[in-house]
Amino acid sequence: MPDISRRSLIQAFPVAAGAAIAGATPTAALASGPATVATTVTTTGTTTGTTTGTTTGTAPITIEADGITLVAEADGSILVRDQADRIRLSHFMIKDSVLGQQRTFGGTPSAVTLPDGTPAIRVDYRMSASAQAVTVRGLFTVSARRAHLRWEVSGSTTLTPSGFMFARTVLNPSAAERYRPVTRWTRDPRGGVPYEINDGALYQETWADTQAFFRLARTTPGFTNATWIHAPGDAGNVTTAELVLGAMRPAAANTIAASVPLGVDAWSEQPFGLYGPAAPLELKAQVVNGGAQARQVKLTWWARDFNGRELAHGDLTRTLAPGAIWDESFTIKGAPQGIVFTEVKAVSGGDEAFARTNLATLAPHAYQAEGRFGIANYAWMLVPDKASVGTLMQKIGVKSVRIAYEGAPGHSPAELDALGIPHNVQLGGVIFNGTAEQISAWADDRAAIARASGARYFEVANELNNPWMQGQRVPEYIRDGLRPVHDRLKGSGIKLMNCGLGGMDHVWTAKFKEAGGWDLIDAFAFHPGRGNFTPDYAPPPEEWELGANGSYWNFLGALRKARQTVDAYGGGKELWLTEAYACTRPNRWWNDTHRQAAENVLLTLALAVSEGVDGLNWYQPHDSTIHHPQEADPANPEYHFGLLNRDTSAKPALLAYATATRALEGATFVRWLTFRDPDIKGLLFDTCAILWTRKDGYVLNADHGADEFHPHPEAWVDHWPTKTRLKVRATGSAVREVDCIGQERSIPVLGGKARLRLDGAPRIYYGLSLSR
């Protein structure tokens, strides 16, 4: 399906990942008084561009407002101060298709007055001898705790404003700069669930007593370094940025910087919003008045559980001065296990802002040493921090990480060893039709990385079967990629996998066997992508339809074909699903709702065990993409594969993964269960049974229209209309029922039978007597 095929070969890229701010401290109201200017000047009486009353004279020139002062120094640098010197803004860099990259070399500051009477500092920068035709002018103003930064570039018709940057020096910080993409919650007017969209980007500077945030509408953090912040200009070759000073959440800083009337943020101080059994859950909220006038703000909030019960709600009202920060904390009663969905909303007049986050409870569990379930890619994002991510993987039963080696982002092999998590390597970059020297150098490098990492398995490249079901480049892949690696790792103890296939591409696999590739691998790897079908949908391969929304993207049918292929081709090969999915892209019929995803995670792992899978790696830990970490990307399915939300709060899918690993690690599959009613389905393991029905069919979101939009119900809404009663023989006095997120219910046994209520959601049962 397109969400797989659009991925390029997976390599290890550096990731700019930040950690969540630990609790912001309340900030006093930000006064909105006018800015003032102080300088020794000689009036020239001229008007320049958008300024009037230009004055020049002896630096420093100072402008100030409540909580912030800008000082123009003699060399054109701008010093940003509050009660201490914080940041120095020095140079500007342009990009030009003819001149290349050119930077400023100092400048001349002037005190100016804008047409509305606002005092400002103007800096006329000096360019190098090779760029004398280019003019760069800076214009800087202040308001309460906020500096407005503007650079105008002219004099060349070949400017490339996408490459503009400005230089900053942070003075005596207590922590390194962090990139903070900012999102805003929104609702589609057509309905469905709300979702996040990007709302600018911040670079956060930190001191022991305060913070500062550079806000830009657009930036590429990979272009930013210790000297330069990437600050692309607009079509008029103008770059603007805002700088906000104060101890606050990034969302509040963004609201102030963007002059948005209201902003709200919701979060938990607990990593991943994940608590122990029955512990009280604490929801944090921060509201900010981003406007220029004081206003009365009403804050409302609610919390619901997975079953739709409203656990708590409330409302408060407060008058906020311009720029004022309002912090609140709400406590919700915990549960033995479960998830709580929360929303906080701020309203004033016709303005409204809201934010959501999830809180969850996960009971402890002692996992066995070995296991078949793991994480595929991007565990290396390490948000909020490395230790928390490592602990989380232990808590949910991760027993394999697909990619880990020295020098790669994320946990090192030694750190994973300390966590008790085995690790593999997947590396690509096969040089098709390269020279013998190129291929040899590539294979030497990849084999050396695999050996040094202590990997158990090496998956050689990724999804090279695209375009699907055409069998292209198979001999070339074996010749230029797989065989050279095989020859170098022979006798190393490292097992080889083919490039994990996108879907069960039996055309590619047959050519792979025919060309001799099957004898070179120890494990067959593929990625059973899935569209709007339940995981147990299993059309035969001859009925598969290709295309963006084709039935090629089914789970159980693909898995059964893979099992049949491995058994038929022989050689005792292992079967691995190195990427498995439950995409929660909002309001799209092809993708799961959050409730469907949780149900499908449990059933996916159970079906994998039923077909004798040796390993399954879930793709991926949290919603994000490798090139734009922590940014929102609602339309991109690649972004929505996580077990955690973008803010790293738990999805129901996270609890489902943990529920499945706990029920299935070490379990032995016995058989499929059959009942008089053919719509009742079941899997019997030696430790438990999993039951569900297909009275409502195998197609999810079946009532969708012609376009891809389909309003998803909220995660607490039961989407299975048909309920089926079933009496089953049972032992003991009660049967224990566990739903997909680990919530338990005791069902009494009367007359040797338990009365179950089934629907399309799989549930785990302990204590049933299901012998033939």
Side-chain angles (χ1 to χ4, degrees), residues 73-89:
E73 299 177 314
D75 65 352
S77 295
I78 302 294
L79 179 65
V80 182
R81 306 189 73 255
D82 51 10
Q83 72 275 14
D85 294 348
R86 300 296 186 182
I87 297 169
R88 179 169 280 107
L89 304 171

Side-chain angles (χ1 to χ4, degrees), residues 198-451:
N198 285 327
D199 195 30
L202 304 175
Y203 292 95
Q204 178 188 321
E205 319 299 349
T206 303
W207 298 268
D209 57 340
T210 194
Q211 295 162 325
F213 300 86
F214 287 103
R215 196 265 183 186
L216 298 105
R218 297 178 298 120
T219 184
T220 301
F223 298 163
T224 295
N225 57 38
T227 302
W228 301 97
I229 285 181
H230 178 237
D234 59 21
N237 302 317
V238 174
T239 285
T240 58
E242 308 294 326
L243 177 61
V244 175
L245 283 174
M248 65 189 77
R249 299 275 295 178
N254 193 64
T255 298
I256 294 170
S259 298
V260 175
L262 283 177
V264 65
D265 196 8
W267 75 99
S268 170
E269 301 288 4
Q270 189 79 1
F272 317 110
L274 202 59
Y275 294 78
L281 315 179
E282 189 174 34
L283 172 67
K284 297 282 191 177
Q286 186 173 89
V287 181
V288 60
N289 175 7
Q293 304 296 325
R295 61 196 312 175
Q296 189 176 68
V297 179
K298 183 177 182 180
L299 180 155
T300 62
W301 70 281
W302 52 255
R304 298 178 187 272
D305 69 10
F306 193 66
N307 306 309
R309 291 186 295 255
E310 187 174 82
L311 304 177
H313 69 276
D315 60 80
L316 300 164
T317 301
R318 181 177 293 185
T319 298
L320 294 183
I325 305 296
W326 175 11
D327 284 303
E328 286 291 346
S329 181
F330 308 106
T331 301
I332 303 153
K333 184 178 179 181
Q337 181 144 325
I339 193 162
V340 176
F341 309 99
T342 71
E343 180 176 294
V344 179
K345 182 168 66 175
V347 178
S348 180
D351 296 318
E352 176 182 308
F354 74 100
R356 287 188 168 191
T357 195
N358 295 344
L359 310 173
T361 300
L362 180 62
H365 181 79
Y367 284 97
Q368 60 189 40
E370 298 295 328
R372 53 172 70 92
F373 303 119
I375 289 293
N377 303 328
Y378 313 146
W380 56 57
M381 288 183 175
L382 302 182
V383 180
D385 56 70
K386 182 180 285 188
S388 296
V389 172
T391 300
L392 177 68
M393 288 196 291
Q394 291 177 313
K395 282 182 178 179
I396 65 174
V398 170
K399 291 298 180 180
S400 175
V401 169
R402 186 185 183 204
I403 304 173
Y405 55 89
E406 290 297 337
H411 292 92
S412 69
E415 289 167 332
L416 290 173
D417 289 342
L419 292 168
I421 300 177
H423 43 88
N424 303 334
V425 163
Q426 183 273 315
L427 290 167
V430 176
I431 305 172
F432 286 99
N433 301 310
T435 66
E437 292 76 14
Q438 289 173 323
I439 293 169
S440 179
W442 172 85
D444 286 343
D445 174 72
R446 298 313 193 253
I449 291 173
R451 287 178 182 272

Side-chain angles (χ1 to χ4, degrees), residues 101-133:
Q101 286 189 304
Q102 298 283 343
R103 50 159 284 191
T104 63
F105 291 86
T108 302
S110 305
V112 300
T113 302
L114 302 185
D116 64 358
T118 301
I121 295 171
R122 191 180 81 191
V123 177
D124 294 291
Y125 292 98
R126 292 187 294 276
M127 299 300 295
S128 66
S130 59
Q132 285 297 297

